[in-house]
């Protein structure tokens, strides 16, 4: 494992450094952050200084502190959502592949219908009906996103399902769950892991967009997308505060993408 | 040719079915799922009388399938009901905003499609060179950036630092075409960055794919100029995937405008949708959601039909 890390290309190392930095910020937010998440400490939109590393936001809260807590809230939310989406999407995908027949048809048509909607519009409509709360956000995005996971895991499982060892397990009389857990899942792991990175980026951007539209995490919780929205007015005065959270979102997605690229390269077995 | 007609007819029928199901889901989602819309919208403080009156107004006392029929009939006739927020007819609110959104999407397509195709061809021509890698890194970053990040960077550069464009794209009904064009230029540049990245990568991949075939080698052996090979020999054969990705990206564009419209306070359908979701103005949400979905489904259909028509292999295949 260590050897593999040392051999990784520069791009992947940069990606890992970015992701690690973000995770550290998220985990140790209360320790690193000099002020409280919601406490007003200075004037509106103060510039960078030793007192406020990133300046202050639209009501005088320390932006650095908000960034740390924002990392914690946004990344945790995106991670939970992606995890849930994989749990639902890959189980359904495996079931469709192993069971085949009408189960497959029914699930696939259902997924086709959800995918016929533009994702953002679907999410907006659900949020308008249910109201925006953290559980609603997680479930809505997880279900919308699980359709993509379903497509991939079904395709991957279809390839594995025709293998002799799956046939052997079937003849032994193993049940559906056993086959999915012990035969299909281990072999489907590499493509699914790469997909996890990509889906995480997508979910993370999606949550950030919803928060930016004011429909994601609600204030006073710190959240990067929401922080861009709150400070957006500053840009017309030549104050670049909103670019900091927006840049952090961009940086993390680029970082994850760099790792995923390396991973795809590794698992495709291509070597230079 | 007969085969491809059957294929298109099948695809068209599938789209019609999807449109029907989508309309049912939107109807059910907004009117039936949340238990009682009336109570949700009016809040807990509402008296039973107001709730009852509100239910009457929304015709919530009728059977669901009857309401769906009436709702769909009104919708097809262009009557989307009244806004809950200000009581004005939804069609009045939507009409002008829809044209604005389509205008923004049109300007963006006019800039983005030729740009993406040219960049894609150039990247395929100079493949594996520094130029190719530079374009590849740039487009990859644009794909992973949130739209509002690109938008605010453009605002910071072009309207704050250079002072060329206004930072808000405010237009009204009496503006001339030129003034409108000027106002939407910055938002459409933002969208161009996002969609060009996807289209250009696909164009490059499609052309490089064709470059591996024997007839291209033949052309090379004949000593034809390499740029000419790409433009005249490789590009026509990679048209099918390119057209497909263009149509898919325009579909994305129609939906992707939501964020850009909010950033630039542009009076389009996307901004109306977001405002109405915040206000929980359900008739407006229903109508704009349905319009967005229709456009999205239709453009995806167009993508498939066009790529079927431009691909000779698909035209011959037995179904």
């Amino acid at each position: 494992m260590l050897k593999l890390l040392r051999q990784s290309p520069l791009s992947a190392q940069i990606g890992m450094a970015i992701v690690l930095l973000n995770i550290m910020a998220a985990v140790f937010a209360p320790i690193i952050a000099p002020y409280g998440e919601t406490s007003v400490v200075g004037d509106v939109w103060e510039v960078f200084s030793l007192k406020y590393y990133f300046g202050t936001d639209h009501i005088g809260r320390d932006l650095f502190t908000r960034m740390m807590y924002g990392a914690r809230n946004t990344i945790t939310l995106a991670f939970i959502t992606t995890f849930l989406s994989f749990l639902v999407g890959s189980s359904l995908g495996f079931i469709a592949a192993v069971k085949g027949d009408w189960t497959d048809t029914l699930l696939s048509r259902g997924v086709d219908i959800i995918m016929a909607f533009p994702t953002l519009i679907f999410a907006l409509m659900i949020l308008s009906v249910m109201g925006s709360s953290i559980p609603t956000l997680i479930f809505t995005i997880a279900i919308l996103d699980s359709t993509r996971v379903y497509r991939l895991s079904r395709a991957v499982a279809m390839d594995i399902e025709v293998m002799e060892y799956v046939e052997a397990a079937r003849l032994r009389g193993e049940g559906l769950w056993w086959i999915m857990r012990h035969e299909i899942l281990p072999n489907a792991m590499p493509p699914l892991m790469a997909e996890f990175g990509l889906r995480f980026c997508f979910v993370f951007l999606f949550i950030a967009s919803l928060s930016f539209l004011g429909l994601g995490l609600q204030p006073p919780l710190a959240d990067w997308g929401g922080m861009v929205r709150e400070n957006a007015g500053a840009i017309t005065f030549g104050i670049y505060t909103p670019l900091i959270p927006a840049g952090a979102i961009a940086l993390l997605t680029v970082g994850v993408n760099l790792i995923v690229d390396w991973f795809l390269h590794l698992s495709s077995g291509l070597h230079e | 040719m007969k085969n491809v007609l059957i294929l298109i007819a099948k695809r068209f029928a599938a789209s019609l079915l999807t449109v029907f199901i989508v309309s049912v889901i939107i109807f059910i989602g907004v009117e039936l799922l949340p238990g009682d819309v009336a109570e949700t919208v009016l809040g807990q403080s509402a008296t039973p009388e107001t709730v009852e009156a509100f239910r009457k107004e929304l015709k919530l006392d009728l059977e669901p399938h009857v309401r769906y029929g009436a709702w769909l009939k009104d919708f097809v006739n262009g009557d989307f009901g009244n806004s809950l927020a200000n009581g004005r007819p939804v069609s009045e609110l939507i009409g002008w905003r829809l044209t604005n959104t389509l205008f923004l999407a049109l300007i963006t397509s006019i800039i983005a499609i030729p740009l993406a195709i040219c960049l894609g061809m150039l990247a395929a021509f100079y493949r594996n060179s520094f130029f190719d890698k530079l374009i590849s890194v740039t487009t990859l970053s644009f794909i992973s950036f949130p739209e509002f990040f690109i938008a605010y960077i453009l605002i910071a550069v072009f309207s704050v630092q250079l002072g060329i464009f206004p930072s808000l794209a405010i237009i009204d009904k009496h503006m001339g075409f030129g003034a409108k064009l000027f106002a939407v230029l910055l938002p459409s540049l933002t969208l161009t960055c996002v969609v060009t990245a996807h289209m250009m990568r696909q164009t490059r991949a499609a052309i490089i794919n064709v470059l591996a075939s024997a007839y291209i080698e033949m052309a090379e052996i004949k000593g034809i100029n390499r740029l000419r090979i790409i433009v005249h020999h490789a590009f026509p054969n990679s048209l099918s995937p390119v057209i497909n990705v263009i149509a898919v990206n325009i579909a994305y564009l129609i939906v992707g405008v939501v964020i850009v419209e909010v950033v630039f306070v542009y009076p389009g359908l996307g901004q109306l949708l977001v405002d109405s979701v915040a206000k929980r103005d359900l008739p407006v949400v229903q109508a704009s959601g349905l319009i967005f979905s229709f456009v999205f489904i239709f453009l995806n259909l167009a993508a498939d039909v066009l790529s079927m028509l431009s691909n000779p292999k698909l035209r011959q295949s037995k179904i």
Side-chain angles (χ1 to χ4, degrees), chain A residues 113 116-118 121 124-125 128-131 205 209 212-213 215 228 232 235-236 238 240 243 246-247 249-250 253-254 257, chain B residues 18 21-22 25-26 29 34 144-146 148-149 152 156 160-161 167 255 259 262-263 273 277 280 285 289 292-293 296-297:
Chain A
I113 289 168
F117 276 103
I121 307 298
L124 286 179
M125 300 199 33
S128 75
V129 172
M130 314 281 279
L205 282 178
S209 302
F212 173 74
L213 296 175
L215 303 163
V228 179
I235 199 128
T236 42
Y240 296 121
L243 285 183
I249 295 167
T253 19
V254 170
N257 266 319
Chain B
T18 319
I21 296 173
V22 162
I25 291 180
I26 288 180
S144 28
F145 288 167
F148 51 79
F149 182 58
Y152 283 124
V160 179
Q161 294 292 335
S167 63
V255 181
I259 303 228
V262 171
V263 172
L273 176 61
V277 171
R280 307 188 80 174
V285 173
F292 269 128
S293 308
F296 188 75
I297 293 169

Side-chain angles (χ1 to χ4, degrees), chain B residues 78-119:
Chain B
D79 176 10
F80 307 144
N82 292 331
S83 157
L84 296 182
N86 50 22
R88 286 170 58 196
V90 176
S91 48
E92 203 177 281
L93 287 170
I94 281 181
W96 184 58
R97 283 167 175 269
L98 182 63
T99 33
N100 286 347
T101 293
L102 293 178
F103 180 67
L104 178 57
L106 180 74
I107 300 294
T108 310
S109 317
I110 291 174
I111 304 174
I113 295 173
L115 184 70
I117 291 179
C118 287
L119 282 178

Side-chain angles (χ1 to χ4, degrees), chain B residues 257-275:
Chain B
V257 293
V258 174
I259 303 228
V260 173
E261 279 177 3
V262 171
V263 172
F264 290 95
V265 202
Y266 181 73
L269 193 56
Q271 211 205 15
L272 178 71
L273 176 61
V274 172
D275 283 350

Side-chain angles (χ1 to χ4, degrees), chain A residues 72-253:
Chain A
R72 173 174 257 210
N73 297 336
T74 321
I75 296 173
T76 315
L77 192 64
F79 192 81
I80 294 175
T81 310
T82 319
F83 188 77
L84 195 67
S85 136
F86 263 74
L87 212 60
V88 175
S90 57
S91 341
L92 289 181
F94 290 169
I95 291 176
V98 177
K99 279 259 188 187
D101 248 0
W102 62 267
T103 321
D104 183 21
T105 317
L106 202 70
L107 283 171
S108 297
R109 287 298 86 76
V111 164
D112 282 349
I113 289 168
I114 297 184
M115 284 178 92
F117 276 103
T119 328
L120 184 63
I121 307 298
F122 201 113
L124 286 179
M125 300 199 33
I126 296 182
L127 291 177
S128 75
V129 172
M130 314 281 279
S132 184
S133 65
I134 292 178
T136 322
L137 263 182
I138 292 179
F139 279 108
T140 309
I141 303 174
I143 292 200
L144 286 176
D145 202 54
S146 65
T147 53
R148 267 81 181 169
V149 182
Y150 169 86
R151 283 266 174 101
L152 179 84
S153 44
R154 178 177 168 275
V156 171
M158 282 287 198
D159 287 344
I160 300 169
E161 202 258 339
V162 292
M163 295 289 180
E164 280 93 354
Y165 51 79
V166 179
E167 193 62 40
R170 277 223 177 108
L171 292 174
R172 278 206 308 276
E174 305 287 5
L176 173 69
W177 285 109
W178 198 94
I179 293 178
M180 275 167 54
R181 176 80 188 71
H182 293 270
E183 305 289 359
I184 293 187
L185 186 64
N187 291 297
M189 230 29 199
L192 280 186
M193 278 195 23
E195 183 72 3
F196 191 89
L198 291 178
R199 289 333 301 169
F200 174 81
C201 284
F202 182 82
V203 167
F204 180 72
L205 282 178
F206 198 72
I207 293 178
S209 302
L210 283 178
S211 300
F212 173 74
L213 296 175
L215 303 163
L217 281 179
Q218 297 300 318
L221 274 181
D223 155 79
W224 289 350
M227 285 159 68
V228 179
R229 171 196 178 79
E230 292 164 354
N231 294 300
I235 199 128
T236 42
F237 305 120
I239 305 167
Y240 296 121
T241 314
L243 285 183
I244 297 172
I249 295 167
L251 191 69
L252 180 59
T253 19

Side-chain angles (χ1 to χ4, degrees), chain B residues 104-116 119 139 142 147 150 154 184-200 249 253 260:
Chain B
L104 178 57
L106 180 74
I107 300 294
T108 310
S109 317
I110 291 174
I111 304 174
I113 295 173
L115 184 70
L119 282 178
T139 50
F142 277 147
E147 281 111 337
I150 302 176
L154 288 180
V184 301
L185 215 51
L186 213 48
S188 60
L189 271 183
T190 311
L191 285 168
T192 303
C193 288
V194 182
V195 289
T196 305
H198 281 281
M199 292 197 282
M200 175 261 149
N249 270 290
L253 196 64
V260 173

